[in-house]
Amino acid sequence: MTQAQLQESANIPAQSEEHGERKWRDYFSFNTDHKVIGIQYLVTTFIFYCIGGVLADLVRTELKTPETDFVSPEVYNSLFTLHATIMIFLWIVPAGAGFANYLIPLMIGAKDMAFPRLNAVAFWMIPPAGLLLISSLLVGDAPDAGWTSYPPLSLVTGQVGEAIWIMSVLLLGTSSILGAINFLVTIWKMRIPGMSVNQMPLFCWSMIATSAITLLSTPVLAGALILLAFDLIAGTTFFNPTGGGDPIVYQHMFWFYSHPAVYIMILPFFGLISEVLPVHARKPVFGYQAIAYSSLAISFLGLIVWAHHMFTSGIPGWLRMFFMITTMIIAVPTGIKVFSWVATVWGGKLRLNSAMLFAMGFVGTFVIGGISGVMLAAVPFDIHVHDTYFVVAHLHYVLFGGSVLGIYAGFYHWFPKMTGRMLNEFWGKVHFALTIVGLNMTFLPMHKLGMMGMNRRIAVYDPKFETLNFICTMGSYLLAVSTFPFIINAIWSWMYGPKAGNNPWQALTLEWMTTSPPAIENFDKLPVLATGPYDYGMNNGDDEVVENVPLSDEREPALAAGPNSALRAEPDPKVAANPEDRE
Amino acid sequence: MNIPSSIWTLIIGIVVTIVSLWYGQNHGLLPTAASDEAELVDGLFNAMLTISTGLFLIVEGALIYSAIRFRRRPDDNSDGPPIFGNIPLEILWTAVPAIIVLGIAIYSFDVYNSIGGFNPHDVHDAPIGEQAVRMPGAAIAATLNDTPPSADPSNLNQDKSDAAMQDPGTAEIRNADQIPQKRNAPGVGVVSPTIGSSPDREGTSPALTINVTGLQYAWIITYPDTGITTGELHVPVGREVQISMTANDVIHAFWVPELRLKQDAIPGRQSEIRFTPKTLGEYKLICAELCGPYHGAMNTQFVIETPEAFEQWQQEQVAISNSQQLVAVNTAVSPAEFLAPYISDLGIQPETLHQIHHNHH
């Protein structure tokens, strides 16, 4: 190889033949482009959301009447177990990873993720794990011990189904660990020169916090599941009381992951709507640093609250007090975020399009889940409502009213970037209205049900709860209906929607500074920061500047420089100044 | 921040406060409070609901107001004012939730202490004495050996369990030969978490002790004082009751919504709660922890009655037990046979029971 050839090959971007999307079938291949992988994640997880939603509606159909008249109690238990497992491990957690995959390299001006092949591996663990889980329905022995899978119950119900469940969750956990490593390295090492951590979009901050939790707690879940598998298959008695094992140890290990997991499920969407709100409110995000650092605070505190799931289980009295206080303290950083979002919206010029409506709906419904979360932290009250529909209501307000509305806000906001086409606004608003009504109708009555005495995970209940349950069931049908406008809108608009242009929302973050959809290597040349990510309203009335902002260093940068601007700060010494060094 | 004029802020503040205070007292979300403990828990809930209602109204109000007041006019393409933050305001809304949370935590602590949850003796029951700690390797040795019982046996799980087992009816139901009772959990003096005696009754024995055992899918209740084994829980009003519970297969949870008390019954462990029944009536004792397909059917009558009615009920039960030769003593009966007399009490059909034991792995 001559010197010139060597030089040439060294400078051609490292990419495989299949890197980047050229044809539709690239989306079904082992592609290493982060944008393809991001869309693979989002579409796959949405399909699982639909499956999980069908299971939820079957559960609610059974609960329409007090008797077991729709499915047998065994099948009922499998339905809610699979519903929870699919929604958590195959929808909300990987959907957050999907957005992160698509957006993070674009937001920090990188060409791709740090480890593109690892990224593809992480994604391609998900479809087999999901199919494996659903296949348990076909073998007629679906897992039915709840998504918590507490021993000894999980050891005495169907063995095959339980083993499948463990295997599937282990695969999904591995996938999310691989993803988390990739996000951390990408955000830390591949920002464009001049973007310090305090100029990153807030979504990057939330993914740092999320990835840290994933790396610290997921291995503990893996440990718990492997020990459970030994008990189940090899007859050991780590958790099995008949051999002197302790089922409470499993609960500690399980919740050491699964409580932080709720932050894995919500923090990415805290980040997403911190992006959506300022763009459509046309105002800088209020309290950038407060929002950024509160993510880290939540991530840290989230690791020391797990035992609040065990207040009525086997922990001593004084320990309950410790976990009560740590749990309640999480309300403070969460409150900071909520107030900051409200202040971001306050006094802006709100474009009430679908993305903005979902983002504001997120704040409004998440608040209800947050408030009931503080109530649940109070030990005496939690002892009353633990394992009841009050908890079901709380977690659905957080995970549906929070995460799912956040995902929809993200879909509507970045759809033009991903596809180059606009979604239909009318059907978007119909989708929003149906979703908000449906979700409150489904989950609000559950608060009262739980407090009055309806415990969760039951197929038969006291007839006095029939009216409220009927309302919940009707609400769940409405939620099912609400997804149709979205699905049809998304498919139709992807093919025939009006062209979006590069920056339809006049946003300032870097992902809007390239074509829609972005080229394979994202940016033609290295993007340059001329404004901070949220410097809206800095040059009011001068639309030209707003439309043309960054991309090149030729303009008058000082004009647009806000307090968060790169131009006001020293370049970050940790980030390589020469773009070539980043390869 | 474009805060509305102070008069409007004041008026809105007053209205929000009044609405919150009213709703916090008149929500109707909780069932009858049938024990002394329930009253305290309800007080805590009302306080939390009052604060929550206020917060809810403020946040939702601000969002809806913004959506109406600050929506973009069709001809206006300009941006909003570039406000990046406001340090005093941010300190305020960090401090206020912190103080509220601290207040709720202190109130919760107080209620929890009053219902007997915070039993400081639990901590001091660590089995390793001061001298032993000084010996090198003591900590490791303690984990290797079967730890000896502590000097104060009153909180020790094994002793409580042994006491419960002295009743032959209980011993049979509790499946103790299959599931060994745990002694001391590692690092913690006592295995069983408790809702113990309230501080003013510290050191006193409860008026009535009842052993409760959860098994798929029934609660079996034994009264050690009279030897009754039954499927219904009856307690006399106004006397402190202690329930010692365990489970003989999977985890169950003892819950009477009207008592506001819940405790997991865990195989291999002994746990207990104490309460003082207050309101006469018939309630439901529910299993709150998923225990299998028929989990939803696992409930039974919980009756708070006058001491006279309770006496009479006890005598009837003793008579029935004698005539039935106390099924529980007979070690040869299968669970189905054993449960047969209680089927009508448990609210499940005989066929269901039959089915259960055929499906049981």
Side-chain angles (χ1 to χ4, degrees):
Chain A
M1 199 181 273
T2 66
Q3 201 69 12
Q5 281 172 319
L6 200 67
Q7 179 72 0
E8 203 172 295
S9 64
N11 284 308
I12 289 172
Q15 54 174 292
S16 67
E17 288 271 306
E18 277 92 43
H19 191 94
E21 173 262 331
R22 288 177 187 84
K23 297 192 181 69
W24 63 268
R25 65 168 181 269
D26 288 328
Y27 287 104
F28 297 88
S29 72
F30 195 76
N31 201 299
T32 50
D33 183 5
H34 73 98
K35 297 182 290 297
V36 175
I37 295 172
I39 288 173
Q40 284 174 331
Y41 261 105
L42 291 173
V43 173
T44 309
T45 55
F46 190 81
I47 291 168
F48 283 119
Y49 171 57
C50 295
I51 296 171
V54 169
L55 295 174
D57 275 326
L58 296 178
V59 166
R60 283 304 334 167
T61 305
E62 168 60 58
L63 289 171
K64 199 164 69 176
T65 56
E67 304 85 30
T68 48
D69 44 10
F70 179 63
V71 289
S72 75
E74 289 88 354
V75 172
Y76 176 83
N77 284 14
S78 298
L79 288 177
F80 71 68
T81 301
L82 285 174
H83 160 69
T85 311
I86 287 173
M87 287 306 197
I88 290 166
F89 292 107
L90 287 160
W91 160 235
I92 298 178
V93 172
F99 276 112
N101 258 306
Y102 196 93
L103 293 173
I104 281 179
L106 286 165
M107 281 179 166
I108 62 175
K111 288 181 175 175
D112 204 321
M113 297 288 283
F115 310 115
R117 287 188 183 83
L118 187 72
N119 205 13
V121 171
F123 168 72
W124 281 106
M125 284 185 169
I126 290 173
L131 293 176
L132 179 66
L133 186 68
I134 292 164
S135 73
S136 65
L137 280 172
L138 304 178
V139 301
D141 185 22
D144 60 353
W147 82 279
T148 53
S149 205
Y150 279 2
L153 180 66
S154 55
L155 301 173
V156 300
T157 55
Q159 204 177 22
V160 178
E162 189 61 26
I164 288 176
W165 182 86
I166 291 172
M167 197 59 228
S168 164
V169 174
L170 276 175
L171 266 176
L172 294 165
T174 311
S175 159
S176 67
I177 290 176
L178 299 182
I181 293 170
N182 218 341
F183 297 138
L184 276 183
V185 176
T186 307
I187 296 170
W188 214 245
K189 300 302 280 186
M190 297 181 66
R191 275 170 282 133
I192 52 165
M195 181 189 273
S196 77
V197 286
N198 280 327
Q199 293 145 358
M200 291 190 304
L202 285 164
F203 181 62
C204 298
W205 274 106
S206 71
M207 283 315 295
I208 288 178
T210 310
S211 304
I213 307 179
T214 309
L215 288 181
L216 288 169
S217 59
T218 317
V220 181
L221 176 72
L225 294 182
I226 289 168
L227 294 181
L228 188 67
F230 277 133
D231 275 10
L232 187 75
I233 296 162
T236 56
T237 56
F238 292 108
F239 306 131
N240 193 343
T242 56
D246 194 344
I248 302 301
V249 175
Y250 174 85
Q251 297 184 11
H252 278 292
M253 294 178 80
F254 178 83
W255 288 114
F256 189 82
Y257 166 78
S258 295
H259 189 82
V262 311
Y263 302 108
I264 296 174
M265 289 182 256
I266 195 72
L267 277 170
F269 310 108
F270 282 172
L272 279 188
I273 69 149
S274 304
E275 301 295 327
V276 175
L277 286 175
V279 173
H280 297 289
R282 309 310 302 161
K283 254 185 94 222
V285 72
F286 193 93
Y288 173 92
Q289 284 173 333
I291 294 184
Y293 300 153
S294 64
S295 291
L296 300 185
I298 290 172
S299 147
F300 171 74
L301 289 169
L303 291 168
I304 49 170
V305 303
W306 75 90
H308 71 227
H309 295 268
M310 300 164 65
F311 282 158
T312 68
S313 166
I315 61 168
W318 57 273
L319 207 55
R320 298 185 204 189
M321 292 295 107
F322 171 79
F323 283 102
M324 173 174 86
I325 289 164
T326 53
T327 305
M328 282 189 179
I329 289 174
I330 290 203
V332 176
T334 315
I336 291 173
K337 281 183 189 290
V338 169
F339 291 127
S340 298
W341 291 326
V342 173
T344 303
V345 172
W346 190 273
K349 309 250 172 146
L350 310 189
R351 292 193 298 233
L352 293 175
N353 52 29
S354 312
M356 184 63 169
L357 288 174
F358 272 106
M360 291 177 77
F362 174 108
V363 180
T365 42
F366 177 79
V367 162
I368 301 174
I371 288 172
S372 58
V374 175
M375 290 182 174
L376 283 171
V379 174
F381 182 66
D382 179 75
I383 287 175
H384 175 51
V385 293
H386 175 76
D387 263 326
T388 66
Y389 266 82
F390 188 87
V391 175
V392 178
H394 159 73
L395 78 92
H396 281 95
Y397 264 96
V398 174
L399 292 182
F400 198 106
S403 306
V404 177
L405 294 190
I407 292 171
Y408 279 135
F411 268 132
Y412 281 96
H413 186 70
W414 281 287
F415 190 87
K417 179 52 63 182
M418 293 177 182
T419 63
R421 292 178 188 273
M422 302 297 287
L423 278 166
N424 182 297
E425 274 302 319
F426 173 77
W427 289 107
K429 284 171 183 161
V430 170
H431 175 209
F432 172 75
L434 291 174
T435 308
I436 284 288
V437 174
L439 104 85
N440 286 297
M441 196 168 146
T442 312
F443 304 119
L444 197 63
M446 289 184 183
H447 290 105
K448 184 169 167 85
L449 281 174
M451 283 189 268
M452 293 303 288
M454 183 164 162
N455 45 340
R456 67 195 286 202
R457 295 172 175 148
I458 52 172
V460 288
Y461 56 86
D462 196 313
K464 70 183 171 191
F465 301 131
E466 186 168 7
T467 315
L468 287 176
N469 270 297
F470 184 79
I471 296 172
C472 294
T473 302
M474 290 302 126
S476 75
Y477 295 158
L478 192 59
L479 276 182
V481 169
S482 78
T483 51
F484 289 109
F486 172 73
I487 296 171
I488 295 165
N489 189 0
I491 294 173
W492 191 88
S493 300
W494 199 333
M495 293 189 291
Y496 311 111
K499 289 265 194 267
N502 293 343
N503 191 359
W505 313 127
Q506 292 96 44
L508 296 182
T509 39
L510 282 180
E511 77 268 24
W512 299 101
M513 305 306 147
T514 180
T515 50
S516 299
I520 287 175
E521 297 273 305
N522 294 350
F523 299 96
D524 284 342
K525 49 184 169 177
L526 195 69
V528 171
L529 292 183
T531 72
Y534 310 110
D535 291 353
Y536 300 100
M538 295 297 287
N539 38 60
N540 242 341
D542 190 354
D543 286 338
E544 197 188 344
V545 180
V546 174
E547 277 170 21
N548 291 332
V549 187
L551 252 199
S552 123
D553 46 358
E554 288 160 14
R555 72 188 74 259
E556 295 277 324
L559 264 185
N564 289 330
S565 165
L567 297 167
R568 296 205 175 178
E570 295 295 314
D572 187 346
K574 293 192 198 73
V575 179
N578 184 350
E580 256 53 62
D581 292 348
R582 298 184 300 117
E583 295 298 329
Chain B
M1 289 289 284
N2 184 16
I3 293 172
S5 70
S6 51
I7 292 175
W8 278 108
T9 313
L10 186 70
I11 293 172
I12 291 167
I14 292 170
V15 170
V16 166
T17 311
I18 291 172
V19 171
S20 308
L21 283 172
W22 181 83
Y23 187 67
Q25 303 300 320
N26 298 284
H27 49 78
L29 291 171
L30 289 164
T32 325
S35 70
D36 292 353
E37 289 75 10
E39 299 269 287
L40 297 168
V41 175
D42 287 4
L44 172 66
F45 175 70
N46 291 348
M48 290 196 297
L49 192 65
T50 305
I51 296 167
S52 304
T53 309
L55 274 173
F56 173 81
L57 291 175
I58 290 168
V59 174
E60 306 294 339
L63 279 173
I64 291 167
Y65 178 79
S66 303
I68 296 165
R69 170 77 178 71
F70 301 121
R71 70 184 189 283
R72 187 180 71 88
R73 302 297 186 274
D75 51 342
D76 184 1
N77 282 317
S78 63
D79 286 353
I83 300 163
F84 284 88
N86 182 334
I87 298 296
L89 195 63
E90 289 175 50
I91 291 173
L92 181 77
W93 71 43
T94 308
V96 169
I99 291 167
I100 290 175
V101 158
L102 196 69
I104 294 177
I106 292 170
Y107 191 0
S108 304
F109 181 91
D110 184 50
V111 170
Y112 186 57
N113 191 32
S114 304
I115 65 176
F118 190 77
N119 188 347
H121 294 297
D122 285 359
V123 189
H124 302 308
D125 270 333
I128 304 172
E130 202 185 324
Q131 274 193 319
V133 171
R134 285 198 225 103
M135 289 162 61
I140 298 168
T143 61
L144 297 176
N145 299 328
D146 199 10
T147 5
S150 82
D152 172 18
S154 65
N155 276 313
L156 265 181
N157 187 53
Q158 184 68 42
D159 298 295
K160 288 182 176 174
S161 169
D162 289 347
M165 293 297 182
Q166 279 167 11
D167 180 39
T170 305
E172 163 55 24
I173 301 158
R174 293 202 160 188
N175 207 9
D177 53 328
Q178 296 292 316
I179 301 178
Q181 200 77 12
K182 290 214 86 59
R183 294 191 79 90
N184 295 336
V188 179
V190 83
V191 175
S192 51
T194 56
I195 296 293
S197 58
S198 49
D200 50 316
R201 286 187 171 135
E202 184 92 42
T204 61
S205 330
L208 179 64
T209 305
I210 303 170
N211 296 332
V212 170
T213 304
L215 72 164
Q216 286 174 321
Y217 300 92
W219 291 108
I220 304 300
I221 293 131
T222 55
Y223 290 76
D225 300 342
T226 45
I228 300 169
T229 302
T230 173
E232 281 188 4
L233 183 54
H234 285 242
V235 292
V237 72
R239 281 196 230 155
E240 196 184 26
V241 178
Q242 174 175 314
I243 309 270
S244 348
M245 66 185 87
T246 190
N248 86 343
D249 39 31
V250 300
I251 300 173
H252 301 273
F254 176 99
W255 184 37
V256 180
E258 285 77 9
L259 297 180
R260 313 282 189 273
L261 286 177
K262 184 183 290 117
Q263 174 60 52
D264 283 10
I266 302 157
R269 286 190 180 213
Q270 173 89 12
S271 40
E272 65 179 44
I273 50 175
R274 280 201 199 187
F275 59 91
T276 309
K278 204 191 71 169
T279 314
L280 293 176
E282 293 194 5
Y283 311 105
K284 275 259 164 74
L285 164 56
I286 296 169
C287 173
E289 180 69 52
L290 176 65
C291 62
Y294 298 89
H295 169 53
M298 181 168 166
N299 57 58
T300 184
Q301 286 294 310
F302 169 70
V303 184
I304 299 179
E305 52 197 358
T306 58
E308 299 77 48
F310 177 69
E311 276 308 313
Q312 198 191 340
W313 176 80
Q314 272 196 322
Q315 279 159 19
E316 283 167 17
Q317 293 297 311
V318 171
I320 295 169
S321 299
N322 289 340
S323 69
Q324 288 185 351
Q325 305 246 326
L326 201 65
V327 275
V329 178
N330 183 351
T331 49
V333 291
S334 73
E337 288 169 284
F338 169 68
L339 283 175
Y342 311 112
I343 291 170
S344 55
D345 297 337
L346 299 171
I348 43 180
Q349 301 300 312
E351 306 82 66
T352 319
L353 194 68
H354 187 68
Q355 207 178 350
I356 289 168
H357 290 282
H358 281 265
N359 287 328
H360 191 86
H361 296 263

